[in-house]
Amino acid sequence: LIPFWEREACRATVASARNEGLYTPPSTQGTVVYPMTGGGVNWGGAAFYNVYDTKDGRCLALGGVEHKFAENFLNKAGRPDLIPLCHQPPGPVQDPVKDYLRELFRSKTLNEWTAWFEGVDVCWAPVRTLHEAMFDPATAERGMLLVDGEGVEHLGVPIRFAREPASPDLRVPEFGEHS
């Protein structure tokens, strides 16, 4: 997570780099390659699959490119005119929607957005701080809190493989042990 005070500099750096889509060849002037899900370049290209800043410097994430989520959101927000753009593939055609969402999300705090989303079928989540994530009930419910021999809590491994379970070593290394 990039601190809010460094986001504009990061955006400027990324904007100055080259990205002409999925098959952009590397460049000595800088190339941006976004992660993808195998179904196309979705990371940042789709308005409803993106991270947005809120008024209080926090962030929220939209994570659903299905049309129903965009329709539900934009109808509640009073902007059904933007729905047809969300039916297009991710990319520049959705820039007007992203611009609208950037401005809209900056108009309320994360808590205000949490209340606004109540009862609306939209795939979204607040971006948690480490402290919030540690104390979120969902973290404990998923078995993500591990306790060492001294009673100190640690975050567990979020990805689980049936035949290759993680076995984190929670002990504090001895001085110089890893150098």
Side-chain angles (χ1 to χ4, degrees):
L1 183 64
I2 299 169
F4 71 91
W5 59 85
E6 293 181 4
R7 289 185 190 141
E8 288 307 315
C10 183
R11 283 189 184 110
T13 300
V14 170
S16 70
R18 184 170 165 235
N19 184 332
E20 297 167 9
L22 183 59
Y23 301 105
T24 304
S27 164
T28 58
Q29 286 77 39
T31 303
V32 176
V33 179
Y34 294 100
M36 60 178 258
T37 61
V41 182
N42 287 337
W43 193 263
F48 280 82
Y49 198 75
N50 221 318
V51 177
Y52 295 95
D53 297 331
T54 60
K55 183 178 182 177
D56 54 354
R58 302 290 306 275
C59 296
L60 64 81
L62 296 177
V65 293
E66 293 86 345
H67 296 164
K68 69 176 184 175
F69 296 131
E71 292 163 5
N72 294 341
F73 181 95
L74 292 169
N75 281 324
K76 180 170 180 178
R79 291 297 309 266
D81 57 300
L82 295 174
I83 291 172
L85 299 176
C86 297
H87 290 190
Q88 301 298 316
V93 71
Q94 291 194 18
D95 285 350
V97 183
K98 289 189 284 186
D99 292 342
Y100 168 72
L101 293 174
R102 270 190 217 100
E103 183 179 332
L104 182 67
F105 286 127
R106 286 185 183 139
S107 71
K108 298 180 191 299
T109 66
L110 184 57
N111 284 339
E112 290 170 322
W113 281 114
T114 300
W116 189 91
F117 276 109
E118 188 67 34
V120 181
D121 186 17
V122 175
C123 186
W124 83 281
V127 176
R128 304 270 190 223
T129 65
L130 180 59
H131 183 266
E132 290 169 338
M134 286 288 291
F135 294 101
D136 188 309
T139 304
E141 289 171 18
R142 288 194 64 226
M144 287 293 305
L145 290 181
L146 306 176
V147 181
D148 65 20
E150 297 179 20
V152 177
E153 290 182 328
H154 302 267
L155 278 177
V157 181
I159 301 170
R160 301 192 177 157
F161 298 100
R163 288 180 262 154
E164 296 178 21
S167 55
D169 181 1
L170 303 179
R171 68 182 178 77
V172 176
E174 297 295 324
F175 182 73
E177 180 178 347
H178 298 296
S179 57

